Amino acid sequence: MVLDSGEVVMDQGTSVGSSRDLLEPGNRDAKPTAAKSRPPPKRSGVAEKKEKVSHNGLPAQTNSGQVAERRSSSSSASKVGATPRPPLRRPLSLEMTPRRLRGSQEQMADRRIVQPPWRSGSAAPSLPARSLTSPSLGAGGWMRRSESTCSVNYSLGLRASRGQMRPATSMPHIAKGTGSAALPASSRPCLLVALRPLNLEQEKQAFFQSDFTYEPQFEYAEPEPRSVLEKYREGSGLFLEQAVGIMECVLKKFGSYENFEEVTGGSVLPKSQVWAAVRKYLQKEGCVGEVVVRLSDELLSQAVMVVESCRPTLTINLAGARQHWLEGMLRHEIGTHYLRGVNNNLQPWASTEGRKQFGLKPANPTEEGLASLHSVLLRKQPYLWRAALLYYTVYHAASMSFSQLFGHIARFVQDPDVRWEYCLRAKRGQTDTSQPGCFSKDQVYLDGILRILRHRRNIDFKMLTSLGKVSFEDVERLRHLATLPRTRIPHFMRDQERYLQHLDHIVAMNELDDSSLQELLP
């Protein structure tokens, strides 16, 4: 649950008001009524000495009204023949209002109003129901979900209860718009969320207790239409050789995936460092205040981006937030999916009807291929391991049962929990996993990566990002139709020459052959 800033931000003006009441101008000018009615009694020398001490010490109980009283009493005493004494004066340092208390309460109120929206409580300005950075969830909305990292273990109740939220005072946050509303009860969840089995934990336990021989029997809250599952029923083997080659490169250098993860990923970061890294990245992209960020222990993948109540919301898996990989995930989700979505919303093809009108090709595999490249773009050892293993697992799931697939990929992954994750992703949508079959959507990452690398010398990557959710094949015919003012380019893409050098490094590190790619993709 996202905490409203109004619930957690304390009113700073009222917190300091009580401590400075005695220093307010109104309080200094007030005079006690009793001072006019009777003169003070004659003080002894001891009393005068104590009075001097009290006036030269901290004025905890003394105000300027009391000073005026003593002045009036001394003048009345002189009339009756008493020896006059000079009025006592406060030290100059005590006459000055401390800097942190300067200004009236009205000025302090004015300062609170102009604070940033994520710190200003009820004074936060409301956003329109649809804006550049917080699109609506209506038909044709441009940012449904970053499907590249959507976890099949992302429960529908996670948003309401299990996500661990940072208070709004320190979390990048978009003020809730007046037009935002909850999804109607009849709205179907995202495809990849709907394909999460209801009995996932029970079937996993049964599978592990059977020494990995049991075939899970999954149940779903609302089975997807057969047409949807048929669309992703066929696995491709076009890039199987490249997928195996990438994984063998990693095993040759590191011995095992587990060692590769530990050496290149670094340690898992504590929450405080995750928040700091996210905030720093949002500053790089100029997105502070635009994306709600939260942490969770529930995701199987690294992160997932959704739009909730008209606000882009990024949920990060704490277990996958590794020291050297976290920024790659942010480049994937925010630097690619989010910014391309913002740019897409400026274009005449932003709606479904607009895409049909301009005859646009599907955004994938370009969208996910580009995001996957950005995940590893700035790493010293940018291996495309995850995209390769997903491609390989889906291909073999088409001809194997769950348990057979689980044993088969042990060649590349030893950890049983990690193998379960990959097999689950490849078999999602199936009820009886003893039957051959796959959900081929996960092959889009390696497919998109290799197509982009094949044509990297001919792609205008800045224009590709500015045009929004389009295929690289449509760039040249759309560039003259686009609305380019106010489009945004991620910081790592602004120097295109350096960007291309990083892509060349990815090709070399994964031992990809340009001539082979040209043969596969003429």
Side-chain angles (χ1 to χ4, degrees):
M1 165 179 185
V2 178
L3 301 178
D4 257 348
S5 56
E7 297 174 359
V8 294
V9 181
M10 297 185 64
D11 190 338
Q12 295 178 359
T14 57
S15 68
V16 299
S18 60
S19 66
R20 67 182 183 190
D21 284 345
L22 298 177
L23 296 176
E24 292 294 339
N27 291 337
R28 290 198 296 265
D29 294 339
K31 297 183 179 180
T33 57
K36 298 180 180 179
S37 60
R38 67 172 184 269
K42 189 175 181 179
R43 291 175 174 83
S44 65
V46 176
E48 291 176 2
K49 187 178 298 184
K50 288 183 178 179
E51 182 182 347
K52 293 179 182 179
V53 172
S54 65
H55 278 288
N56 287 293
L58 291 176
Q61 303 299 328
T62 303
N63 56 28
S64 57
Q66 292 171 324
V67 175
E69 177 188 348
R70 292 186 177 93
R71 289 177 181 174
S72 63
S73 63
S74 66
S75 63
S76 61
S78 64
K79 294 179 181 179
V80 297
T83 304
R85 59 188 174 117
L88 293 172
R89 299 183 60 183
R90 298 172 71 188
L92 183 60
S93 61
L94 294 181
E95 293 290 346
M96 298 176 62
T97 304
R99 185 173 183 178
R100 64 183 180 88
L101 297 178
R102 288 177 186 167
S104 64
Q105 291 182 348
E106 291 79 6
Q107 290 172 327
M108 293 298 292
D110 291 341
R111 292 175 191 170
R112 290 198 300 273
I113 291 174
V114 300
Q115 287 183 6
W118 60 91
R119 293 188 183 273
S120 57
S122 59
S126 297
L127 288 179
R130 182 177 181 88
S131 68
L132 295 181
T133 58
S134 52
S136 73
L137 286 174
W142 54 260
M143 187 160 46
R144 299 283 185 178
R145 172 180 300 276
S146 166
E147 293 179 338
S148 64
T149 54
C150 177
S151 169
V152 294
N153 195 30
Y154 182 82
S155 67
L156 296 178
L158 175 61
R159 293 191 300 241
S161 60
R162 298 188 181 182
Q164 299 185 18
M165 298 303 304
R166 190 176 181 90
T169 51
S170 53
M171 183 181 72
H173 178 71
I174 284 185
K176 188 173 182 179
T178 56
S180 63
L183 285 173
S186 60
S187 296
R188 294 179 62 84
C190 165
L191 171 63
L192 301 185
V193 174
L195 291 178
R196 179 186 184 273
L198 292 174
N199 59 340
L200 178 61
E201 293 304 323
Q202 297 93 315
E203 292 303 287
K204 180 179 180 179
Q205 184 177 3
F207 179 76
F208 276 64
Q209 289 177 347
S210 71
D211 197 23
F212 314 133
T213 59
Y214 170 71
E215 303 293 354
Q217 305 295 304
F218 292 129
E219 299 174 1
Y220 301 91
E222 197 172 346
E224 288 296 320
R226 182 170 296 276
S227 60
V228 175
L229 298 178
E230 285 291 323
K231 179 181 178 181
Y232 298 107
R233 184 173 63 88
E234 298 292 337
S236 171
L238 179 62
F239 302 115
L240 188 64
E241 179 182 345
Q242 283 74 24
V244 173
I246 290 168
M247 292 187 289
E248 287 180 344
C249 282
V250 173
L251 296 180
K252 181 171 59 177
K253 184 172 181 64
F254 296 96
S256 68
Y257 169 74
E258 290 74 15
N259 188 44
F260 161 71
E261 181 181 58
E262 182 178 352
V263 172
T264 64
S267 59
V268 176
L269 296 175
K271 292 180 185 179
S272 60
Q273 292 186 29
V274 173
W275 292 123
V278 171
R279 190 159 47 244
K280 181 178 180 181
Y281 185 82
L282 290 173
Q283 290 171 349
K284 286 182 181 180
E285 302 297 3
C287 296
V288 174
E290 297 180 9
V291 181
V292 177
V293 181
R294 70 182 184 185
L295 303 183
S296 172
D297 296 312
E298 294 290 318
L299 297 178
L300 287 176
S301 55
Q302 288 185 345
V304 59
M305 172 90 71
V306 296
V307 175
E308 294 181 3
S309 300
C310 212
R311 296 178 298 183
T313 301
L314 174 63
T315 304
I316 299 174
N317 183 2
L318 279 170
R322 291 185 172 270
Q323 179 182 1
H324 305 305
W325 290 358
L326 179 58
E327 185 167 339
M329 180 274 294
L330 297 173
R331 288 193 299 270
H332 184 124
E333 296 294 343
I334 297 173
T336 309
H337 291 315
Y338 175 69
L339 290 185
R340 274 169 58 91
V342 170
N343 293 341
N344 191 78
N345 205 41
L346 298 172
Q347 306 307 330
W349 48 82
S351 65
T352 303
E353 294 75 16
R355 296 186 72 87
K356 291 179 181 178
Q357 177 185 347
F358 287 92
L360 267 61
K361 296 180 182 294
N364 274 324
T366 296
E367 177 76 16
E368 298 298 352
L370 192 63
S372 299
L373 282 170
H374 294 165
S375 294
V376 303
L377 187 71
L378 304 182
R379 295 181 189 174
K380 293 181 179 179
Q381 302 181 88
Y383 288 106
L384 299 166
W385 170 276
R386 185 169 179 82
L389 184 54
L390 285 171
Y391 191 96
Y392 180 89
T393 305
V394 166
Y395 173 80
H396 287 286
S399 60
M400 295 181 179
S401 70
F402 193 102
S403 62
Q404 290 172 337
L405 182 64
F406 187 88
H408 182 76
I409 66 172
R411 168 188 175 190
F412 298 109
V413 180
Q414 298 170 5
D415 188 327
D417 287 302
V418 177
R419 273 190 283 163
W420 166 269
E421 173 198 335
Y422 280 93
C423 293
L424 180 62
R425 292 177 67 102
K427 286 288 187 179
R428 57 190 165 188
Q430 280 189 277
T431 301
D432 180 8
T433 64
S434 66
Q435 301 300 314
C438 70
F439 185 75
S440 63
K441 192 169 180 61
D442 277 345
Q443 287 192 322
V444 71
Y445 311 121
L446 187 63
D447 187 292
I449 286 171
L450 297 182
R451 291 179 189 275
I452 289 172
L453 292 178
R454 157 67 178 87
H455 296 284
R456 67 189 184 278
R457 299 295 178 193
N458 303 317
I459 297 175
D460 184 342
F461 285 98
K462 288 185 179 179
M463 183 60 64
L464 176 61
T465 299
S466 298
L467 295 177
K469 303 280 189 175
V470 302
S471 168
F472 72 85
E473 297 173 90
D474 285 333
V475 168
E476 292 307 316
R477 70 183 187 87
L478 293 177
R479 66 166 64 238
H480 301 297
L481 304 172
T483 302
L484 297 180
R486 295 189 298 147
T487 55
R488 295 156 70 174
I489 305 297
H491 75 281
F492 52 83
M493 195 182 279
R494 290 167 191 163
D495 185 342
Q496 187 142 335
E497 181 179 354
R498 185 170 178 79
Y499 181 82
L500 287 173
Q501 291 174 356
H502 287 303
L503 295 185
D504 290 339
H505 183 52
I506 292 173
V507 170
M509 187 63 66
N510 289 274
E511 298 183 7
L512 296 171
D513 182 39
D514 279 322
S515 59
S516 298
L517 292 178
Q518 291 170 7
E519 291 178 8
L520 289 172
L521 303 167

